[in-house]
Structure formats: C-alpha cells, structure tokens
C-alpha cells in the first residue's frame, strides 16, 4: 500500500502513537537525569564538606 492510499486518519493515528511513545521515552530519560542530578548534588555536598573539614 502506498502512502497516498493510506487514509489520512490512519496516518494521523500512527503519528500520534509515535509521538506518545517518544514522549514516554523522553519522560523516562528526564526522570533518570533528575535522579543523576540529585546524586551529583549529594556528592558535591559531601565533597564541599570534606574540603571544609580539611
């Protein structure tokens, strides 16, 4: 089936479905980055505390 033979509604539905999964992937990546950021802040605080103590 050629692209121009696929009903417009079906193409839109496919596009929305792809966007949905892409959004989920980006959200999951965002959550991972937030967690990494939180861990890096803790490490930085520990480093600064150690630097001050020495």
């Amino acid at each position: 089936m050629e692209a121009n033979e696929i009903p417009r509604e079906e193409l839109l539905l496919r596009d929305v479905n792809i966007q949905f999964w892409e959004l989920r992937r980006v959200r999951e990546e965002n959550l991972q980055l937030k967690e990494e950021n939180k861990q890096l802040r803790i490490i930085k605080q520990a480093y600064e505390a150690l630097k001050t103590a020495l």
Side-chain angles (χ1 to χ4, degrees):
M1 182 179 281
E2 292 183 26
N4 59 357
E5 295 176 349
I6 300 173
R8 186 172 188 275
E9 293 80 15
E10 188 176 332
L11 291 173
L12 289 172
L13 184 58
R14 288 181 190 182
D15 188 47
V16 167
N17 196 30
I18 291 168
Q19 288 178 18
F20 170 78
W21 289 108
E22 182 66 14
L23 179 60
R24 273 189 73 166
R25 185 192 63 76
V26 169
R27 283 183 176 163
E28 287 173 14
E29 184 179 345
N30 189 37
L31 288 174
Q32 288 176 334
L33 290 172
K34 283 181 180 180
E35 185 59 35
E36 277 182 42
N37 195 26
K38 190 187 306 181
Q39 292 171 2
L40 288 171
R41 276 197 212 117
I42 292 169
I43 292 169
K44 182 181 177 187
Q45 287 173 347
Y47 170 76
E48 293 295 332
L50 183 60
K51 205 166 74 170
T52 303
L54 297 176

